[in-house]
Amino acid sequence: MNLENLFRKKSISHIMSDADSLEGSTGGMKRTLRVFDLTALGVAAIIGAGIFSTIGNAAASGGPAVSLLFVFTAIACGLSAMCYAEFASSIPISGSAYTYAYVSFGELIAWIIGWDLIMEYAIGNIAVAISWSGYFTGLMDGLGMHIPGYLSTDFLTASRGYQTAVNAMNSGTPLSGLSPELADAYSAWTNAPLIGNFHLVADLPALFIVFVITWICYRGIRESRITNDFFVLLKVAILLLVVGVGAFYVKPENWSPFAPNGIGGVLKGVSGVFFAYIGFDAISTTAEECKNPRRDLPLSMFYALLITTVLYVMISLVLTGMVPYNELGVSDPMAYVFTKLHLTKLSGVIAAGAVIAMASVLLVFQLGQPRIWMSMSRDGLLPPIFARLHPKYRTPAFATIITGFVVAIPSLFMNLTEVTDLTSIGTLFAFILVSGGILVLNPTGQQKHDGKGFRVPYADSRRYLLPIWAVLLFFVLNSGVELSILRSDHSEGFNLFKIIRNHFPFLIFCIVSIIITFQAVTKRWSLIPVLGLLTNLGLMSQLGVTNWFRFGIWLVIGLLIYFFYGAKHSRIKEVS
């Protein structure tokens, strides 16, 4: 195989020409989405379970000052959002980061990012479905409708929990002394019906919600839009109710000191807070269903970030004002705070809010995955059936059904919460390539355009990048935050191989940062995509060596599929 073929690029004019001819011959997808609908999709994707857990953990470390962290993190996310907005404005096609990579880096990198996005959307949704099941089961219990444990627990969790519980009881721990999670798993396993020696344990609520959401996505973008708009309005109303009621119980003395653990304490929550914003990129997968994508997609991304930031800040201030910050390091800080203050009537409202929040996240990503597969199929990298639109509903019907199966079946029997970091690493990798794509196509911000749509504002890296590095290093070195590579165990002496093995993600970040900084300063690259690339790479380097290895294995599997199928059927060869 010719190596040059792997990096052949599609021009923007070629992509738009293909899209226009396809829409003319088949009728295309239904264009029904406006700015409000797109913004609602962004808010739905961003505000999920994170608002019920991330705020508590971040506040427990940083105190009330975590509210400012949400503002700073939103600005950092805005760097990537601006790069997405420029691409979405220039290439209003449903492929999202896959299509953007095809234009800027070529086919092989495009395939890698398309395969990578499966982690963010499909695999990520498995964890979302399992989480939704937990919140839904808790809500039903609160309403007096108990769902048996063996029908609301995945097989893997019940099996592992049972073995752990048995071992604990053999060691002398009574059943009443087990943690609630272990006790539930033990009960689910022992009470499950048997077929031979096989325990019938399955997470039916997870299957149910995936089926319902997939059916809505299959029926059409109009049905998906109406459902999501309703979910988001209800979710925001519940959060505003929580803020409104909680504001009457705020004690201003709880806000002092504002940053009890200094900058270091605030920065401890930066990764979790950043991941609470992940999801705005899913908006770009609906480009072909927007009435005016070049204008509406960029606007909706920025509106979604603004709205969610305001909500995050208000809730963080209310929670840290209602109780001392050091009490918030629990799994569900909202429920904890309102229960402690005897506002138990709001507990059901909060539980309902969590159920709605998770369902809306599921809908957005279940909507996005089939459209990425559709774009890859159009380019010949997947079988043609993935690109077929339903004759009536104008949705990628087969791809939507497959997405439903990919999410539903594992959520029945497997607990994939241990690989949820893969969702984050996959998303950050997409952000890196989108930011890098702007640097490839328009590094100095001088590329001509027709004046329509959004362009990343140009700022000269030569003037600003080195001072930013100086300020950042000053804060890190004086904030009490220890870099992981400096916490190495030196009891065995200096071991270069061990340092490289345990810290190679951070070393990669350092090397790439030096190279990018040098190039950006000498060639006067646009500052915003440079900062977006470095910010996401820095966060990616903090996700641990194990996650990097898992990510590498996932990419290797994807490359095998590409060389066995995609490279042989690629349509770009016909054009070339």
Side-chain angles (χ1 to χ4, degrees), residues 229-443:
D229 289 352
F230 173 74
F231 277 168
V232 169
L233 289 174
L234 199 56
K235 176 164 57 176
V236 171
I238 289 173
L239 292 176
L240 290 177
L241 175 64
V242 168
V243 170
V245 173
F248 289 99
Y249 295 85
V250 167
K251 297 179 179 178
E253 57 268 25
N254 285 332
W255 289 334
S256 181
F258 194 66
N261 298 317
I263 297 175
V266 175
L267 290 179
K268 284 182 180 178
V270 67
S271 294
V273 169
F274 185 92
F275 296 136
Y277 281 98
I278 283 177
F280 68 84
D281 55 305
I283 301 173
S284 59
T285 62
T286 62
E288 295 177 44
E289 291 150 301
C290 304
K291 286 186 174 293
N292 188 353
R294 300 190 69 181
R295 182 199 68 185
D296 294 350
L297 282 172
L299 283 176
S300 59
M301 289 182 188
F302 300 136
Y303 288 160
L305 283 176
L306 178 62
I307 291 170
T308 52
T309 300
V310 171
L311 288 171
Y312 279 139
V313 169
M314 288 195 301
I315 290 174
S316 62
L317 286 175
V318 166
L319 291 183
T320 54
M322 293 175 72
V323 299
Y325 73 94
N326 52 14
E327 297 183 17
L328 293 174
V330 294
S331 59
D332 196 346
M334 278 194 197
Y336 168 79
V337 169
F338 283 93
T339 301
K340 180 179 180 179
L341 297 180
H342 308 293
L343 299 172
T344 53
K345 292 183 179 179
L346 274 180
S347 298
V349 174
I350 294 172
V355 169
I356 294 169
M358 300 303 291
S360 61
V361 173
L362 195 66
L363 189 149
V364 174
F365 290 125
Q366 208 71 353
L367 199 67
Q369 179 63 74
R371 283 149 182 79
I372 293 175
W373 278 341
M374 177 186 71
S375 295
M376 297 173 74
S377 176
R378 288 174 179 173
D379 294 327
L381 303 186
L382 289 177
I385 193 172
F386 281 88
R388 291 180 189 169
L389 297 180
H390 191 283
K392 178 181 179 181
Y393 304 134
R394 312 311 297 168
T395 56
F398 179 80
T400 300
I401 293 172
I402 293 299
T403 302
F405 278 112
V406 168
V407 175
I409 294 175
S411 65
L412 262 181
F413 306 108
M414 299 174 63
N415 186 349
L416 294 186
T417 52
E418 65 267 20
V419 298
T420 50
D421 276 348
L422 274 178
T423 300
S424 300
I425 201 170
T427 305
L428 291 173
F429 185 63
F431 286 4
I432 288 169
L433 287 185
V434 171
S435 298
I438 296 295
L439 293 175
V440 169
L441 296 180
N442 191 16

Side-chain angles (χ1 to χ4, degrees), residues 85-100:
E86 177 167 333
F87 270 123
S89 182
S90 305
I91 317 172
I93 301 298
S94 293
S96 186
Y98 159 77
T99 302
Y100 309 155

Side-chain angles (χ1 to χ4, degrees), residues 153-219:
T153 306
D154 63 270
F155 185 91
L156 194 60
T157 295
S159 175
R160 288 178 176 176
Y162 171 79
Q163 292 297 330
T164 304
V166 168
N167 293 336
M169 288 189 288
N170 289 339
S171 300
T173 303
L175 180 61
S176 58
L178 297 176
S179 67
E181 293 79 9
L182 279 183
D184 290 343
Y186 180 84
S187 173
W189 189 259
T190 54
N191 293 322
L194 293 173
I195 298 180
N197 292 323
F198 183 79
H199 292 250
L200 288 177
V201 179
D203 196 343
L204 292 187
L207 176 68
F208 167 76
I209 190 61
V210 173
F211 173 80
V212 171
I213 294 296
T214 301
W215 178 78
I216 292 172
C217 295
Y218 180 87
R219 282 297 304 270

Side-chain angles (χ1 to χ4, degrees), residues 46 104 182 203 260 311 396 408 438 468 504 512 555:
I46 295 172
S104 49
L182 279 183
D203 196 343
L311 288 171
I438 296 295
I468 290 174
F504 78 86
V512 173
L555 294 186

